[in-house]
Amino acid sequence: MNSERSTIIRKKDLSLWERMYIPEIVKGMKLTIRQMFAPTFTTQYPDERFQPPASFRGRPVLVEENGVERCVACGLCSRVCPALAIEVQAGETELGKERYPEKFEINMIRCIFCGFCEEVCPEEAIIMSQEYELAFTKPQDALFGKDKLVVPIEKVQTRLNFLRANR
Amino acid sequence: MNIIEPLVKIALILLINLTTVAYLVYTERRVSAFIQNRVGPNRVGPMGLLQPVADIVKLFFKEDIVPTAANKFVHSLAPLISLIVALSTFAVIPFGNTIHLFGRDIKLMIADVNVGLLYLLALSSLGVYGITLSGWSSNNKYSLLGGLRSSAQMISYELSMGLSIIGVLMIAGSLQLDKIVVHQGNYLGGFLPAWNIFLQPLGFITFVVAYFAETNRLPFDLPEAEPELVGGYHTEYSGMKFGLFFLAEYANMITASAVITTLYLGGWQFPFIENFGFSPLAVSLLQVAAFGVKVALVLLFFIIVRWTIPRFRYDQLMNLGWKVMLPLAVLNIIITGFFILV
């Protein structure tokens, strides 16, 4: 038993009182009975919803400012994405930013919520939101196009503040 | 006329027993949830009170799968044996004193057998057949191991159980459960009810431990130890056949609580009730209520113990059974005999 690689952890043998077992059971039962009256941890999900903290990485969204998305379609997010979930096609625009994403698609089945796209984005255009209810019934539903991704800036302000505070 | 009375009693007891089983499962789930700081079933009906109904309906509609290699007859027979044995033990348990209703004296037990204690021991050990046969007939190694463990466990603990009952028998001087309860109606020194738990605490402990092993409840639930044996003896059971095993386990628990109450906690005795001056009918009803409360408390004890103590290892179980419980039970007999002589 006590070879070179193993060590005895138990410091002392159990006392007679402990070996009688019954008193120890009573001790354990006191603990469980006390726990019965302790508050529960459960969140009653559909009735109560978990409000995630600002550091939470929910589904990635595109920030919309003054009616236009910030994204300039540089494609860095698509490059960095370890799960190859993002597809960007750039197009020209008359606006000051000159480029805009003609197509921006995130495959939410592939997305692993790592937040690399958010970190790499030079324009703070793609950020992780606090939404976590992402269930689909069809795989096609999991392809989030611009219609679902673009979100007004007011809705993601907490995350933006968090990002700036912890840059 | 004579046959109607027992039939009514049987129907009543079956009804109460099966409802209690259903709500015992609910209670166990709720209590275990509270112990683990969870909520437990609270969706079906107010506070989840209709959960047992939903469970039973679900079990009825599940597909009943019998393995191809199983012995079909025994496979169907085993859950029936378990349940019938679990329920019929209740036949000899007195749940109240004689009650005067409709101009007749009605004894509140189904069968006043003069060897009630022996009947009880015999039936509780018969329950192992259901488990062993189910393990054997499933033709599955895990089931078989579960069944074998169960029979070994029963044989080991039956001995200490029988020996601890002898203490009660020596005090009461009768095998009739009713007489044992009546005997517990006296008082020790005028203030302590002469329940057998106070007269022989050692016998009480050995009996309760042995009965835990007998009902396959948690510290001794090796026949269905899920981390080792998948599901144990009921691995190959599904649908209502599994439901019958489930029912039998909880019915056994109720019977066990009733037996512990009858033998050690004074049965239907309500201490000092004669001092309050109630009418005879009220006294009888209060005694039935006292029995119910005692059984409920023992059931709660069963549940809390299950969620407190981890499972024994097999060798520890055998060591405890043969090297500790058996000598203690014998010691209890010797002590009781000594006190009776002195």
Side-chain angles (χ1 to χ4, degrees):
Chain A
M1 268 303 277
N2 196 14
S3 70
E4 286 169 30
R5 297 176 64 189
S6 71
T7 44
I8 295 175
I9 297 171
R10 186 189 283 178
K11 295 288 191 303
K12 59 177 172 56
D13 283 339
L14 298 174
S15 66
L16 177 69
W17 183 252
E18 283 165 333
R19 265 183 294 139
M20 268 165 65
Y21 203 64
I22 301 280
E24 297 298 304
I25 292 177
V26 174
K27 233 188 203 172
M29 283 180 62
K30 256 198 277 181
L31 180 77
T32 39
I33 291 173
R34 207 167 51 231
Q35 284 301 308
M36 271 174 75
F37 301 102
T40 56
F41 287 118
T42 311
T43 313
Q44 298 279 334
Y45 167 62
D47 303 337
E48 296 169 42
R49 270 154 216 266
F50 166 61
Q51 180 55 46
S55 58
F56 185 83
R57 295 199 300 264
R59 78 175 177 104
V61 294
L62 291 174
V63 181
E64 184 188 52
E65 203 175 15
N66 305 326
V68 191
E69 71 278 337
R70 281 176 168 178
C71 180
V72 293
C74 64
L76 274 175
C77 47
S78 167
R79 277 292 287 196
V80 81
C81 183
L84 306 180
I86 306 178
E87 191 190 336
V88 193
Q89 275 170 22
E92 281 188 42
T93 168
E94 301 298 315
L95 295 169
K97 63 177 183 179
E98 291 180 3
R99 278 158 63 90
Y100 83 105
E102 215 165 38
K103 178 185 175 192
F104 197 109
E105 200 169 80
I106 300 182
N107 187 340
M108 290 311 295
I109 293 179
R110 307 203 70 153
C111 180
I112 57 171
F113 304 93
C114 60
F116 282 7
C117 44
E118 176 188 53
E119 261 180 62
V120 82
C121 185
E123 299 287 328
E124 235 175 25
I126 182 166
I127 63 169
M128 310 302 279
S129 68
Q130 303 194 350
E131 280 175 49
Y132 54 86
E133 283 167 332
L134 298 164
F136 330 107
T137 45
K138 294 198 293 280
Q140 293 91 309
D141 290 352
L143 294 174
F144 279 19
K146 265 173 79 176
D147 54 325
K148 283 185 190 156
L149 289 175
V150 176
V151 161
I153 190 163
E154 299 81 44
K155 286 199 178 168
V156 287
Q157 199 58 54
T158 47
R159 179 68 179 178
L160 283 172
N161 296 341
F162 170 80
L163 288 174
R164 287 189 191 135
N166 296 284
R167 190 160 308 220
Chain B
M1 221 29 204
N2 221 356
I3 195 155
I4 291 171
E5 191 185 305
L7 278 180
V8 168
K9 278 193 267 188
I10 289 170
L12 212 65
I13 290 234
L14 267 184
L15 192 74
I16 292 173
N17 238 341
L18 291 177
T19 337
T20 319
V21 165
Y23 279 91
L24 188 59
V25 178
Y26 167 79
T27 318
E28 167 132 46
R29 291 175 66 182
R30 279 302 273 228
V31 169
S32 67
F34 289 141
I35 286 174
Q36 298 167 348
N37 296 352
R38 296 183 286 114
V39 179
N42 66 345
R43 292 271 143 188
V44 193
M47 287 167 63
L49 277 172
L50 293 177
Q51 184 69 38
V53 184
D55 284 347
I56 291 166
V57 170
K58 184 198 80 172
L59 278 174
F60 264 114
F61 283 106
K62 285 249 167 173
E63 187 185 356
D64 178 34
I65 302 164
V66 181
T68 351
N71 183 326
K72 295 201 176 44
F73 176 67
V74 183
H75 192 264
S76 323
L77 186 68
L80 288 179
I81 296 181
S82 282
L83 185 65
I84 289 170
V85 167
L87 289 176
S88 51
T89 318
F90 226 88
V92 291
I93 289 171
F95 51 93
N97 202 355
T98 310
I99 190 168
H100 194 77
L101 265 184
F102 314 121
R104 296 151 48 75
D105 282 332
I106 299 171
K107 221 170 170 51
L108 286 182
M109 62 197 294
I110 292 175
D112 192 8
V113 193
N114 55 4
V115 287
L117 209 51
L118 283 183
Y119 172 88
L120 213 120
L121 279 176
L123 271 191
S124 65
S125 43
L126 266 183
V128 71
Y129 278 99
I131 294 173
T132 314
L133 284 179
S134 70
W136 172 78
S137 66
S138 298
N139 211 348
N140 171 326
K141 54 183 171 257
Y142 296 116
S143 304
L144 184 61
L145 278 173
L148 286 178
R149 278 183 178 192
S150 153
S151 44
Q153 182 179 321
M154 289 272 186
I155 291 169
S156 315
Y157 280 82
E158 193 89 322
L159 276 173
S160 37
M161 195 177 114
L163 287 176
S164 21
I165 287 185
I166 290 184
V168 175
L169 187 61
M170 285 161 86
I171 289 181
S174 169
L175 280 169
Q176 218 165 335
L177 289 173
D178 207 31
K179 287 217 177 107
I180 292 175
V181 175
V182 170
H183 194 267
Q184 295 181 67
N186 305 325
Y187 297 99
L188 293 174
F191 63 95
L192 195 65
W195 296 355
N196 283 330
I197 183 176
F198 303 120
L199 288 173
Q200 33 186 313
L202 186 62
F204 175 70
I205 289 172
T206 48
F207 182 76
V208 168
V209 172
Y211 224 124
F212 265 86
E214 197 75 7
T215 49
N216 296 325
R217 285 292 293 181
L218 194 82
F220 308 106
D221 73 337
L222 286 116
E224 48 183 313
E226 59 273 359
E228 311 152 27
L229 294 182
V230 194
Y233 59 91
H234 55 54
T235 308
E236 297 291 355
Y237 281 86
S238 53
M240 206 51 212
K241 277 186 199 159
F242 168 75
L244 287 185
F245 274 123
F246 206 67
L247 228 68
E249 193 192 322
Y250 282 86
N252 256 327
M253 237 172 102
I254 296 174
T255 314
S257 311
V259 170
I260 290 172
T261 310
T262 310
L263 291 184
Y264 286 95
L265 301 177
W268 40 258
Q269 297 285 1
F270 192 124
F272 307 111
I273 196 167
E274 61 274 6
N275 300 347
F276 297 124
F278 291 124
S279 70
L281 186 66
V283 167
S284 302
L285 289 177
L286 274 175
Q287 280 170 338
V288 175
F291 179 77
V293 169
K294 283 176 195 170
V295 169
L297 286 179
V298 178
L299 284 173
L300 197 65
F301 173 73
F302 264 84
I303 291 173
I304 293 174
V305 164
R306 171 170 178 189
W307 296 96
T308 303
I309 309 173
R311 180 180 299 122
F312 275 86
R313 213 169 53 214
Y314 194 65
D315 60 322
Q316 291 170 333
L317 176 90
M318 285 298 154
N319 270 340
L320 181 72
W322 290 99
K323 292 188 186 165
V324 180
M325 298 281 293
L326 195 59
L328 277 183
V330 175
L331 184 69
N332 179 50
I333 295 177
I334 295 171
I335 293 174
T336 318
F338 179 77
F339 275 104
I340 287 177
L341 271 182
V342 174

